[in-house]
Amino acid sequence: MLPEEKARVKIDKQLRNAGWDIVARNEYLPNSTSAVKEALMGENTESDYLLFIDGKAIAVVEEKREENPLGDEVKK
């Protein structure tokens, strides 16, 4: 399994444990509470997950390598 695939398994589990329904972008139903995998964003960009509540995007989840400390990058 590739590192990206391993990360997705881990993130899927964390999202489900937090109560999110994980769906493919073509399965998203407006006004639902869902974590949409590989969601399309503006200007033809894609996020790993886009979290929706009542039809509004409230958060973006991007997977990163575990060894990436993020730190200052996330604070900006």
Side-chain angles (χ1 to χ4, degrees):
M1 189 180 290
L2 296 171
E4 182 174 294
E5 293 168 326
K6 288 180 185 177
R8 285 187 186 265
V9 168
K10 186 175 181 178
I11 293 169
D12 284 0
K13 182 178 177 184
Q14 291 171 333
L15 288 170
R16 281 193 192 97
N17 287 343
W20 289 93
D21 289 328
I22 301 169
V23 298
R25 64 178 166 227
N26 64 340
E27 297 172 338
Y28 172 70
L29 299 174
N31 299 320
S32 65
T33 300
S34 303
V36 180
K37 283 186 172 186
E38 299 176 354
L40 290 177
M41 298 177 60
E43 299 179 17
N44 245 1
T45 59
E46 197 176 85
S47 65
D48 292 322
Y49 300 84
L50 193 53
L51 307 184
F52 285 90
I53 294 179
D54 295 329
K56 294 181 183 177
I58 61 152
V60 175
V61 177
E62 285 293 325
E63 61 188 55
K64 299 296 177 206
R65 295 174 189 249
E66 284 192 43
E67 62 269 13
N68 183 342
L70 297 176
D72 291 336
E73 293 175 37
V74 175
K75 292 177 188 176
K76 294 180 183 178

